Short mmCIF file of all heavy atoms in Angstrom, two decimals:
data_model
loop_
_atom_site.label_atom_id
_atom_site.label_comp_id
_atom_site.label_asym_id
_atom_site.label_seq_id
_atom_site.Cartn_x
_atom_site.Cartn_y
_atom_site.Cartn_z
N MET A 618 0.86 -1.18 -0.01
CA MET A 618 0.01 -0.01 0.00
C MET A 618 0.90 1.26 0.00
O MET A 618 1.76 1.37 0.83
CB MET A 618 -0.89 0.01 1.25
CG MET A 618 -2.09 0.89 1.11
SD MET A 618 -3.12 0.86 2.61
CE MET A 618 -3.65 -0.88 2.59
N PRO A 619 0.64 2.13 -0.94
CA PRO A 619 1.52 3.32 -1.04
C PRO A 619 1.21 4.36 0.05
O PRO A 619 0.13 4.41 0.61
CB PRO A 619 1.17 3.90 -2.42
CG PRO A 619 -0.22 3.44 -2.67
CD PRO A 619 -0.39 2.10 -1.97
N ILE A 620 2.21 5.15 0.28
CA ILE A 620 2.07 6.24 1.22
C ILE A 620 1.88 7.57 0.48
O ILE A 620 2.62 7.82 -0.47
CB ILE A 620 3.32 6.38 2.15
CG1 ILE A 620 3.45 5.11 3.01
CG2 ILE A 620 3.24 7.63 3.00
CD1 ILE A 620 4.70 5.12 3.84
N PHE A 621 0.87 8.30 0.82
CA PHE A 621 0.61 9.58 0.19
C PHE A 621 0.90 10.70 1.15
O PHE A 621 0.71 10.60 2.35
CB PHE A 621 -0.84 9.64 -0.27
CG PHE A 621 -1.16 8.68 -1.37
CD1 PHE A 621 -1.85 7.48 -1.08
CD2 PHE A 621 -0.79 8.93 -2.69
CE1 PHE A 621 -2.11 6.58 -2.08
CE2 PHE A 621 -1.05 8.01 -3.69
CZ PHE A 621 -1.72 6.82 -3.39
N GLU A 622 1.37 11.78 0.57
CA GLU A 622 1.72 12.96 1.40
C GLU A 622 0.59 13.99 1.30
O GLU A 622 0.03 14.22 0.23
CB GLU A 622 3.01 13.57 0.93
CG GLU A 622 4.22 12.71 1.19
CD GLU A 622 5.47 13.42 0.76
OE1 GLU A 622 5.82 14.46 1.36
OE2 GLU A 622 6.11 12.96 -0.20
N TYR A 623 0.32 14.56 2.42
CA TYR A 623 -0.73 15.62 2.49
C TYR A 623 -0.20 16.84 3.16
O TYR A 623 0.76 16.78 3.92
CB TYR A 623 -1.97 15.08 3.25
CG TYR A 623 -2.60 13.88 2.57
CD1 TYR A 623 -2.15 12.62 2.78
CD2 TYR A 623 -3.66 14.07 1.65
CE1 TYR A 623 -2.71 11.52 2.13
CE2 TYR A 623 -4.24 13.00 1.01
CZ TYR A 623 -3.76 11.73 1.25
OH TYR A 623 -4.29 10.66 0.62
N HIS A 624 -0.85 17.94 2.88
CA HIS A 624 -0.47 19.18 3.51
C HIS A 624 -1.66 19.87 4.10
O HIS A 624 -2.74 19.94 3.49
CB HIS A 624 0.20 20.10 2.46
CG HIS A 624 0.51 21.48 2.98
ND1 HIS A 624 1.54 21.72 3.84
CD2 HIS A 624 -0.12 22.67 2.76
CE1 HIS A 624 1.57 23.01 4.14
NE2 HIS A 624 0.59 23.59 3.50
N CYS A 625 -1.51 20.34 5.31
CA CYS A 625 -2.57 21.06 5.95
C CYS A 625 -2.25 22.54 5.93
O CYS A 625 -1.29 23.01 6.57
CB CYS A 625 -2.74 20.60 7.43
SG CYS A 625 -3.91 21.60 8.34
N PRO A 626 -3.02 23.33 5.16
CA PRO A 626 -2.76 24.79 5.08
C PRO A 626 -3.12 25.51 6.36
O PRO A 626 -2.65 26.61 6.57
CB PRO A 626 -3.65 25.20 3.90
CG PRO A 626 -4.72 24.17 3.82
CD PRO A 626 -4.13 22.91 4.31
N ASP A 627 -3.94 24.90 7.19
CA ASP A 627 -4.36 25.58 8.42
C ASP A 627 -3.19 25.73 9.38
O ASP A 627 -2.97 26.80 9.96
CB ASP A 627 -5.50 24.83 9.06
CG ASP A 627 -6.81 25.02 8.35
OD1 ASP A 627 -6.80 25.77 7.35
OD2 ASP A 627 -7.81 24.45 8.76
N CYS A 628 -2.47 24.64 9.58
CA CYS A 628 -1.33 24.72 10.53
C CYS A 628 -0.02 24.45 9.81
O CYS A 628 1.01 24.30 10.44
CB CYS A 628 -1.54 23.71 11.66
SG CYS A 628 -1.52 21.98 11.14
N ARG A 629 -0.07 24.38 8.52
CA ARG A 629 1.12 24.18 7.69
C ARG A 629 1.92 22.93 8.08
O ARG A 629 3.13 22.98 8.16
CB ARG A 629 2.00 25.42 7.77
CG ARG A 629 1.27 26.68 7.34
CD ARG A 629 2.18 27.83 7.16
NE ARG A 629 1.45 29.01 6.67
CZ ARG A 629 2.02 30.10 6.20
NH1 ARG A 629 3.32 30.15 6.13
NH2 ARG A 629 1.30 31.11 5.78
N THR A 630 1.17 21.89 8.27
CA THR A 630 1.79 20.62 8.62
C THR A 630 1.74 19.69 7.43
O THR A 630 0.76 19.58 6.71
CB THR A 630 1.04 19.97 9.79
OG1 THR A 630 1.21 20.76 10.96
CG2 THR A 630 1.58 18.56 10.05
N ASP A 631 2.86 19.04 7.18
CA ASP A 631 2.92 17.98 6.17
C ASP A 631 2.81 16.63 6.89
O ASP A 631 3.50 16.44 7.87
CB ASP A 631 4.20 18.05 5.36
CG ASP A 631 4.25 19.30 4.52
OD1 ASP A 631 3.20 19.70 3.97
OD2 ASP A 631 5.33 19.88 4.38
N PHE A 632 2.00 15.77 6.38
CA PHE A 632 1.91 14.45 7.00
C PHE A 632 1.68 13.39 5.95
O PHE A 632 1.37 13.70 4.79
CB PHE A 632 0.79 14.44 8.05
CG PHE A 632 -0.60 14.77 7.51
CD1 PHE A 632 -1.49 13.76 7.21
CD2 PHE A 632 -0.96 16.09 7.34
CE1 PHE A 632 -2.74 14.08 6.69
CE2 PHE A 632 -2.24 16.40 6.83
CZ PHE A 632 -3.09 15.39 6.53
N GLU A 633 1.82 12.15 6.34
CA GLU A 633 1.67 11.05 5.39
C GLU A 633 0.56 10.14 5.83
O GLU A 633 0.28 9.97 7.01
CB GLU A 633 3.00 10.25 5.33
CG GLU A 633 4.14 11.06 4.79
CD GLU A 633 5.43 10.31 4.85
OE1 GLU A 633 5.50 9.33 5.65
OE2 GLU A 633 6.38 10.68 4.17
N GLU A 634 -0.08 9.57 4.83
CA GLU A 634 -1.16 8.60 5.11
C GLU A 634 -0.90 7.37 4.28
O GLU A 634 -0.57 7.42 3.12
CB GLU A 634 -2.51 9.21 4.71
CG GLU A 634 -2.99 10.31 5.64
CD GLU A 634 -3.90 9.77 6.74
OE1 GLU A 634 -4.53 8.75 6.53
OE2 GLU A 634 -3.95 10.41 7.78
N LEU A 635 -1.08 6.22 4.91
CA LEU A 635 -0.95 4.96 4.21
C LEU A 635 -2.36 4.53 3.76
O LEU A 635 -3.23 4.26 4.58
CB LEU A 635 -0.35 3.93 5.18
CG LEU A 635 0.13 2.61 4.57
CD1 LEU A 635 1.32 2.86 3.65
CD2 LEU A 635 0.51 1.65 5.64
N ARG A 636 -2.54 4.48 2.46
CA ARG A 636 -3.89 4.14 1.96
C ARG A 636 -3.79 3.60 0.55
O ARG A 636 -2.78 3.73 -0.10
CB ARG A 636 -4.80 5.34 2.04
CG ARG A 636 -4.22 6.59 1.37
CD ARG A 636 -5.23 7.72 1.35
NE ARG A 636 -5.67 8.08 2.69
CZ ARG A 636 -6.58 9.02 2.93
NH1 ARG A 636 -7.16 9.63 1.89
NH2 ARG A 636 -6.95 9.31 4.14
N THR A 637 -4.91 3.05 0.13
CA THR A 637 -4.92 2.48 -1.23
C THR A 637 -5.06 3.57 -2.28
O THR A 637 -5.44 4.70 -1.97
CB THR A 637 -6.11 1.51 -1.38
OG1 THR A 637 -7.33 2.25 -1.24
CG2 THR A 637 -6.06 0.39 -0.35
N LEU A 638 -4.71 3.23 -3.51
CA LEU A 638 -4.81 4.18 -4.60
C LEU A 638 -6.23 4.72 -4.73
O LEU A 638 -6.45 5.90 -5.03
CB LEU A 638 -4.41 3.50 -5.90
CG LEU A 638 -2.90 3.41 -6.16
CD1 LEU A 638 -2.63 2.58 -7.39
CD2 LEU A 638 -2.27 4.79 -6.33
N ALA A 639 -7.19 3.85 -4.52
CA ALA A 639 -8.59 4.25 -4.67
C ALA A 639 -9.01 5.31 -3.67
O ALA A 639 -9.90 6.07 -3.89
CB ALA A 639 -9.49 3.02 -4.56
N LYS A 640 -8.30 5.32 -2.55
CA LYS A 640 -8.67 6.28 -1.53
C LYS A 640 -7.71 7.43 -1.39
O LYS A 640 -7.78 8.20 -0.42
CB LYS A 640 -8.76 5.53 -0.17
CG LYS A 640 -9.90 4.54 -0.07
CD LYS A 640 -9.95 3.90 1.30
CE LYS A 640 -11.16 2.99 1.46
NZ LYS A 640 -12.44 3.72 1.35
N ARG A 641 -6.88 7.57 -2.37
CA ARG A 641 -5.83 8.60 -2.24
C ARG A 641 -6.43 10.00 -2.19
O ARG A 641 -5.81 10.92 -1.62
CB ARG A 641 -4.85 8.50 -3.39
CG ARG A 641 -5.50 8.80 -4.76
CD ARG A 641 -4.50 8.61 -5.87
NE ARG A 641 -5.23 8.78 -7.16
CZ ARG A 641 -4.63 8.58 -8.34
NH1 ARG A 641 -3.36 8.24 -8.38
NH2 ARG A 641 -5.29 8.75 -9.43
N ASP A 642 -7.61 10.19 -2.79
CA ASP A 642 -8.20 11.51 -2.82
C ASP A 642 -9.25 11.69 -1.73
O ASP A 642 -9.91 12.73 -1.66
CB ASP A 642 -8.81 11.81 -4.19
CG ASP A 642 -7.75 12.08 -5.23
OD1 ASP A 642 -6.71 12.69 -4.87
OD2 ASP A 642 -7.93 11.69 -6.39
N ASP A 643 -9.40 10.71 -0.89
CA ASP A 643 -10.28 10.87 0.24
C ASP A 643 -9.73 11.93 1.20
O ASP A 643 -8.55 12.19 1.21
CB ASP A 643 -10.46 9.56 1.00
CG ASP A 643 -11.40 8.61 0.27
OD1 ASP A 643 -11.76 8.92 -0.87
OD2 ASP A 643 -11.76 7.58 0.86
N ILE A 644 -10.59 12.49 1.97
CA ILE A 644 -10.15 13.52 2.88
C ILE A 644 -9.22 12.94 3.94
O ILE A 644 -9.51 11.92 4.56
CB ILE A 644 -11.37 14.14 3.61
CG1 ILE A 644 -12.21 14.95 2.59
CG2 ILE A 644 -10.93 15.03 4.75
CD1 ILE A 644 -13.48 15.50 3.16
N ALA A 645 -8.09 13.59 4.10
CA ALA A 645 -7.15 13.21 5.14
C ALA A 645 -7.23 14.21 6.25
O ALA A 645 -7.08 15.42 6.05
CB ALA A 645 -5.75 13.16 4.57
N VAL A 646 -7.50 13.74 7.43
CA VAL A 646 -7.63 14.64 8.59
C VAL A 646 -6.24 14.95 9.14
O VAL A 646 -5.40 14.06 9.36
CB VAL A 646 -8.48 13.99 9.69
CG1 VAL A 646 -8.56 14.92 10.89
CG2 VAL A 646 -9.85 13.67 9.15
N CYS A 647 -5.98 16.22 9.29
CA CYS A 647 -4.69 16.64 9.82
C CYS A 647 -4.47 16.09 11.23
O CYS A 647 -5.32 16.30 12.11
CB CYS A 647 -4.63 18.16 9.84
SG CYS A 647 -3.15 18.81 10.61
N PRO A 648 -3.36 15.41 11.45
CA PRO A 648 -3.09 14.86 12.78
C PRO A 648 -2.76 15.92 13.81
O PRO A 648 -2.73 15.65 15.00
CB PRO A 648 -1.90 13.92 12.52
CG PRO A 648 -1.20 14.50 11.35
CD PRO A 648 -2.29 15.13 10.48
N ASN A 649 -2.46 17.09 13.35
CA ASN A 649 -2.01 18.15 14.28
C ASN A 649 -3.19 18.99 14.75
O ASN A 649 -3.36 19.18 15.96
CB ASN A 649 -0.98 19.04 13.55
CG ASN A 649 -0.35 20.04 14.50
OD1 ASN A 649 0.06 19.65 15.61
ND2 ASN A 649 -0.26 21.26 14.09
N CYS A 650 -4.00 19.48 13.81
CA CYS A 650 -5.10 20.38 14.21
C CYS A 650 -6.48 19.80 13.90
O CYS A 650 -7.48 20.47 14.07
CB CYS A 650 -4.91 21.73 13.53
SG CYS A 650 -5.23 21.71 11.77
N LYS A 651 -6.47 18.55 13.36
CA LYS A 651 -7.72 17.83 13.05
C LYS A 651 -8.52 18.50 11.93
O LYS A 651 -9.69 18.22 11.71
CB LYS A 651 -8.63 17.72 14.27
CG LYS A 651 -7.91 17.19 15.51
CD LYS A 651 -7.33 15.81 15.24
CE LYS A 651 -6.64 15.29 16.51
NZ LYS A 651 -5.91 14.06 16.19
N SER A 652 -7.86 19.38 11.19
CA SER A 652 -8.54 19.98 10.06
C SER A 652 -8.80 18.97 8.97
O SER A 652 -7.97 18.09 8.70
CB SER A 652 -7.68 21.14 9.52
OG SER A 652 -8.27 21.64 8.32
N ARG A 653 -9.91 19.13 8.29
CA ARG A 653 -10.22 18.26 7.17
C ARG A 653 -9.98 18.94 5.83
O ARG A 653 -10.26 18.40 4.79
CB ARG A 653 -11.68 17.79 7.24
CG ARG A 653 -11.95 16.96 8.49
CD ARG A 653 -13.43 16.71 8.69
NE ARG A 653 -14.01 15.85 7.68
CZ ARG A 653 -14.04 14.53 7.76
NH1 ARG A 653 -13.58 13.95 8.80
NH2 ARG A 653 -14.58 13.80 6.81
N ARG A 654 -9.50 20.18 5.90
CA ARG A 654 -9.27 20.94 4.70
C ARG A 654 -7.81 20.78 4.25
O ARG A 654 -7.06 21.72 4.10
CB ARG A 654 -9.60 22.41 4.93
CG ARG A 654 -11.04 22.60 5.32
CD ARG A 654 -11.33 24.05 5.67
NE ARG A 654 -11.02 24.94 4.53
CZ ARG A 654 -11.24 26.23 4.53
NH1 ARG A 654 -11.77 26.80 5.61
NH2 ARG A 654 -10.93 26.96 3.50
N THR A 655 -7.43 19.53 4.07
CA THR A 655 -6.06 19.24 3.68
C THR A 655 -6.01 18.97 2.20
O THR A 655 -7.00 18.67 1.53
CB THR A 655 -5.54 18.02 4.42
OG1 THR A 655 -6.42 16.94 4.23
CG2 THR A 655 -5.46 18.32 5.93
N GLU A 656 -4.81 19.03 1.67
CA GLU A 656 -4.63 18.77 0.25
C GLU A 656 -3.52 17.72 0.05
O GLU A 656 -2.56 17.67 0.77
CB GLU A 656 -4.28 20.05 -0.49
CG GLU A 656 -3.09 20.77 0.11
CD GLU A 656 -3.01 22.21 -0.37
OE1 GLU A 656 -4.07 22.89 -0.45
OE2 GLU A 656 -1.90 22.66 -0.67
N ARG A 657 -3.73 16.91 -1.00
CA ARG A 657 -2.76 15.88 -1.26
C ARG A 657 -1.59 16.43 -2.07
O ARG A 657 -1.83 17.16 -3.03
CB ARG A 657 -3.41 14.71 -1.99
CG ARG A 657 -2.47 13.55 -2.22
CD ARG A 657 -3.23 12.34 -2.74
NE ARG A 657 -3.90 12.62 -3.98
CZ ARG A 657 -3.35 12.54 -5.20
NH1 ARG A 657 -2.10 12.17 -5.33
NH2 ARG A 657 -4.04 12.79 -6.29
N LYS A 658 -0.43 16.11 -1.66
CA LYS A 658 0.73 16.53 -2.42
C LYS A 658 1.06 15.53 -3.52
O LYS A 658 0.80 14.32 -3.36
CB LYS A 658 1.95 16.65 -1.47
CG LYS A 658 1.70 17.72 -0.40
CD LYS A 658 2.80 17.71 0.64
CE LYS A 658 4.11 18.12 0.07
NZ LYS A 658 5.18 18.18 1.11
N VAL A 659 1.64 16.01 -4.58
CA VAL A 659 2.03 15.11 -5.64
C VAL A 659 3.27 14.33 -5.25
O VAL A 659 4.28 14.92 -4.91
CB VAL A 659 2.32 15.88 -6.95
CG1 VAL A 659 2.82 14.92 -8.03
CG2 VAL A 659 1.06 16.61 -7.42
N SER A 660 3.16 13.02 -5.22
CA SER A 660 4.29 12.22 -4.83
C SER A 660 4.99 11.63 -6.04
O SER A 660 4.34 11.29 -7.03
CB SER A 660 3.83 11.11 -3.88
OG SER A 660 3.20 10.09 -4.62
N THR A 661 6.26 11.47 -5.94
CA THR A 661 7.02 10.89 -7.02
C THR A 661 6.70 9.43 -7.20
O THR A 661 6.81 8.89 -8.26
CB THR A 661 8.53 11.04 -6.77
OG1 THR A 661 8.81 10.54 -5.47
CG2 THR A 661 8.94 12.49 -6.85
N PHE A 662 6.26 8.83 -6.15
CA PHE A 662 5.88 7.41 -6.20
C PHE A 662 4.73 7.19 -7.15
O PHE A 662 4.80 6.35 -8.06
CB PHE A 662 5.52 6.90 -4.83
CG PHE A 662 5.05 5.47 -4.82
CD1 PHE A 662 6.00 4.44 -4.73
CD2 PHE A 662 3.72 5.13 -4.94
CE1 PHE A 662 5.59 3.11 -4.76
CE2 PHE A 662 3.32 3.80 -4.98
CZ PHE A 662 4.25 2.81 -4.89
N SER A 663 3.68 7.92 -7.00
CA SER A 663 2.47 7.69 -7.81
C SER A 663 2.69 8.10 -9.27
O SER A 663 2.01 7.67 -10.16
CB SER A 663 1.29 8.46 -7.23
OG SER A 663 1.57 9.84 -7.25
N ALA A 664 3.68 8.98 -9.50
CA ALA A 664 3.90 9.46 -10.86
C ALA A 664 4.78 8.49 -11.65
O ALA A 664 4.83 8.58 -12.86
CB ALA A 664 4.56 10.84 -10.82
N SER A 665 5.45 7.61 -10.94
CA SER A 665 6.43 6.77 -11.62
C SER A 665 5.77 5.62 -12.36
O SER A 665 6.41 4.89 -13.09
CB SER A 665 7.44 6.22 -10.61
OG SER A 665 6.76 5.38 -9.67
N GLY A 666 4.49 5.43 -12.18
CA GLY A 666 3.85 4.30 -12.81
C GLY A 666 3.32 4.55 -14.21
O GLY A 666 2.92 3.66 -14.92
N PHE A 667 3.38 5.78 -14.64
CA PHE A 667 2.80 6.14 -15.92
C PHE A 667 3.84 6.55 -16.96
O PHE A 667 4.41 7.61 -16.90
CB PHE A 667 1.83 7.29 -15.75
CG PHE A 667 0.71 7.01 -14.81
CD1 PHE A 667 0.82 7.37 -13.47
CD2 PHE A 667 -0.44 6.31 -15.21
CE1 PHE A 667 -0.18 7.08 -12.55
CE2 PHE A 667 -1.44 6.03 -14.30
CZ PHE A 667 -1.32 6.42 -12.98
N GLY A 668 4.08 5.62 -17.89
CA GLY A 668 4.92 5.99 -19.05
C GLY A 668 6.31 6.43 -18.71
O GLY A 668 6.52 7.37 -17.98
N ASN A 669 7.27 5.76 -19.32
CA ASN A 669 8.66 6.16 -19.06
C ASN A 669 9.26 6.86 -20.27
O ASN A 669 10.45 7.15 -20.28
CB ASN A 669 9.46 4.91 -18.71
CG ASN A 669 8.97 4.25 -17.43
OD1 ASN A 669 8.62 4.92 -16.51
ND2 ASN A 669 8.96 2.94 -17.41
N SER A 670 8.47 7.14 -21.26
CA SER A 670 9.01 7.67 -22.52
C SER A 670 9.33 9.15 -22.41
O SER A 670 10.13 9.72 -23.15
CB SER A 670 8.05 7.47 -23.68
OG SER A 670 6.80 8.05 -23.37
N GLY A 671 8.76 9.79 -21.45
CA GLY A 671 8.95 11.24 -21.31
C GLY A 671 10.38 11.59 -20.93
O GLY A 671 10.96 12.57 -21.43
N GLY A 672 10.96 10.81 -20.08
CA GLY A 672 12.31 11.06 -19.68
C GLY A 672 12.44 12.09 -18.59
O GLY A 672 13.45 12.22 -17.95
N SER A 673 11.40 12.86 -18.37
CA SER A 673 11.46 13.86 -17.35
C SER A 673 10.62 13.44 -16.13
O SER A 673 9.54 12.86 -16.29
CB SER A 673 10.91 15.18 -17.88
OG SER A 673 10.77 16.13 -16.83
N SER A 674 11.14 13.68 -15.00
CA SER A 674 10.42 13.31 -13.78
C SER A 674 9.64 14.51 -13.24
O SER A 674 9.10 14.46 -12.15
CB SER A 674 11.39 12.79 -12.73
OG SER A 674 12.31 13.80 -12.38
N CYS A 675 9.62 15.58 -14.00
CA CYS A 675 8.96 16.78 -13.55
C CYS A 675 7.44 16.61 -13.64
O CYS A 675 6.88 16.30 -14.71
CB CYS A 675 9.36 17.99 -14.39
SG CYS A 675 8.54 19.53 -13.90
N VAL A 676 6.78 16.74 -12.54
CA VAL A 676 5.35 16.57 -12.52
C VAL A 676 4.68 17.89 -12.17
O VAL A 676 4.88 18.43 -11.08
CB VAL A 676 4.92 15.51 -11.47
CG1 VAL A 676 3.42 15.35 -11.42
CG2 VAL A 676 5.59 14.18 -11.84
N PRO A 677 3.87 18.41 -13.08
CA PRO A 677 3.16 19.63 -12.73
C PRO A 677 2.11 19.35 -11.68
O PRO A 677 1.35 18.38 -11.78
CB PRO A 677 2.50 20.06 -14.07
CG PRO A 677 2.40 18.78 -14.85
CD PRO A 677 3.57 17.93 -14.41
N GLY A 678 2.05 20.20 -10.70
CA GLY A 678 1.07 19.97 -9.67
C GLY A 678 0.64 21.24 -9.00
O GLY A 678 1.27 22.29 -9.21
N GLY A 679 -0.38 21.18 -8.23
CA GLY A 679 -0.81 22.39 -7.53
C GLY A 679 -1.69 23.27 -8.31
O GLY A 679 -2.11 24.31 -7.88
N GLY A 680 -2.04 22.85 -9.54
CA GLY A 680 -2.90 23.67 -10.37
C GLY A 680 -4.37 23.52 -10.02
O GLY A 680 -5.16 24.37 -10.37
N PHE A 681 -4.68 22.46 -9.37
CA PHE A 681 -6.10 22.17 -9.07
C PHE A 681 -6.56 22.92 -7.82
O PHE A 681 -5.81 23.07 -6.86
CB PHE A 681 -6.29 20.68 -8.85
CG PHE A 681 -6.16 19.87 -10.13
CD1 PHE A 681 -4.99 19.22 -10.40
CD2 PHE A 681 -7.21 19.81 -11.02
CE1 PHE A 681 -4.88 18.48 -11.59
CE2 PHE A 681 -7.13 19.10 -12.17
CZ PHE A 681 -5.95 18.42 -12.50
N THR A 682 -7.76 23.36 -7.90
CA THR A 682 -8.37 23.98 -6.72
C THR A 682 -9.74 23.42 -6.52
O THR A 682 -10.36 22.93 -7.45
CB THR A 682 -8.44 25.51 -6.85
OG1 THR A 682 -8.98 25.85 -8.11
CG2 THR A 682 -7.10 26.14 -6.67
ZN1 LIG B 585 -3.45 21.09 10.50
#
């Protein structure tokens, strides 16, 4: 099971959650302030599974709101 990284903008805490791919976009509750308004960070792990022809590991992220 992969580990996903999340960020809590309320208290600016980064934390990790162990969960399945299907649940990666589920709400992650901040362990510090219990906020549910967290956002998932783009992890290099999840990006490595799609196509190796690009040659670049640069993953655009953060564009979604
Ligand atoms: Zn927090």
Side-chain angles (χ1 to χ4, degrees):
M618 199 180 296
I620 295 176
F621 294 101
E622 291 183 66
Y623 297 85
H624 174 74
C625 173
D627 285 359
C628 65
R629 303 192 177 193
T630 294
D631 292 323
F632 59 98
E633 297 174 341
E634 288 267 334
L635 193 66
R636 51 175 58 184
T637 63
L638 280 173
K640 291 182 176 295
R641 65 184 174 184
D642 287 324
D643 282 11
I644 292 174
V646 179
C647 174
N649 189 46
C650 71
K651 310 302 181 188
S652 171
R653 297 169 68 89
R654 299 176 58 176
T655 55
E656 54 196 41
R657 184 170 57 87
K658 298 171 67 177
V659 175
S660 75
T661 52
F662 177 85
S663 61
S665 63
F667 301 95
N669 297 322
S670 57
S673 172
S674 61
C675 180
V676 178
F681 290 99
T682 47

